[in-house]
Amino acid sequence: MTDNALVVIDVQESFRARPLWATTSNPDVIKNVGRLVDAARAAGDRVIWVVHAEPGTGNTFDPVHGHVRVVGELTPAEDEPLLVKTVHNAFTTTNLQHLLTVAGIRSITVAGLRTEQCVETTARFASDLGYRVTFAIDATATNPIPHPDAPADQTVDELLADPRTLSAEDVVARTVYALSGRFATVRTVSEILGE
């Protein structure tokens, strides 16, 4: 094993069960995460999977609906931990830090769903803990963000038509701007793999 780990965050069926999935910023996110997983395994890096759950909410993140599981195209290996978090970052409600410490991990690469939310907050938290962080930008994806005053029951079409909506592309650009050189090194999958 090396002192590197890949942390795959929220690449789960919960997101595909939501209408917003059609607006994802990166249709290749699952394929790109898979490339990182294959490369990490080949290099002897630790791979840690994290999914998000919101028990009792009745939404797609409520485990009773069966969507709180890694997407069908990706399969955690038997020796790869699968953690369940209940807040945005992957550290606070899991034993991720303990797993990384015990394994002697010094550098992590983060990838997954919600570029600006769960992946970004995990990158920032990891940086605060002293890890060298690589943010795999094209192994993340997000959706447009509605304006705070938009109705909660807004349809996808209404969201996209609202000029106040922050586009997924703008969300990604702002995330890169906020992280680069401060909390993480932002790289594409091809850059990480040396292609």
Side-chain angles (χ1 to χ4, degrees), residues 46-119:
R46 187 103 166 149
V47 179
I48 300 172
W49 302 82
V50 183
V51 293
H52 183 81
E54 297 175 5
T57 60
N59 66 27
T60 62
F61 295 94
D62 191 329
V64 300
H65 295 298
H67 302 300
V68 181
R69 56 182 163 52
V70 174
V71 294
E73 297 92 326
L74 302 174
T75 305
E78 284 187 24
D79 63 340
E80 295 172 350
L82 175 61
L83 310 179
V84 180
K85 65 181 180 63
T86 56
V87 298
H88 297 309
N89 81 77
F91 286 94
T92 302
T93 58
T94 72
N95 66 339
L96 177 58
Q97 185 179 1
H98 175 75
L99 290 174
L100 296 173
T101 301
V102 168
I105 301 301
R106 303 292 304 137
S107 300
I108 69 167
T109 298
V110 293
L113 297 180
R114 281 289 171 90
T115 305
E116 82 294 351
Q117 193 177 61
C118 299
V119 187

Side-chain angles (χ1 to χ4, degrees), residues 77-174:
E78 284 187 24
D79 63 340
E80 295 172 350
L82 175 61
L83 310 179
V84 180
K85 65 181 180 63
T86 56
V87 298
H88 297 309
N89 81 77
F91 286 94
T92 302
T93 58
T94 72
N95 66 339
L96 177 58
Q97 185 179 1
H98 175 75
L99 290 174
L100 296 173
T101 301
V102 168
I105 301 301
R106 303 292 304 137
S107 300
I108 69 167
T109 298
V110 293
L113 297 180
R114 281 289 171 90
T115 305
E116 82 294 351
Q117 193 177 61
C118 299
V119 187
E120 180 186 13
T121 58
T122 298
R124 287 175 182 255
F125 204 108
S127 175
D128 285 349
L129 291 172
Y131 295 100
R132 292 182 304 272
V133 181
T134 300
F135 194 90
I137 191 62
D138 59 343
T140 74
T142 195
N143 307 104
I145 298 176
H147 187 273
D149 294 334
D153 60 350
Q154 189 177 44
T155 68
V156 171
D157 288 339
E158 290 168 338
L159 170 74
L160 296 176
D162 187 339
R164 303 171 303 168
T165 295
L166 186 62
S167 73
E169 293 75 19
D170 284 343
V171 172
V172 172
R174 290 175 185 213

Side-chain angles (χ1 to χ4, degrees), residues 6 8 11 26 28-42 47 49 70-71 73-76 80 111-112 136 138-140 189 193 195:
L6 171 64
V8 180
V11 183
N26 180 4
D28 291 329
V29 63
I30 294 169
K31 178 180 77 172
N32 288 345
V33 168
R35 290 173 59 205
L36 288 176
V37 169
D38 291 343
R41 290 171 176 165
V47 179
W49 302 82
V70 174
V71 294
E73 297 92 326
L74 302 174
T75 305
E80 295 172 350
D138 59 343
T140 74
V189 172
L193 300 183
E195 299 173 343

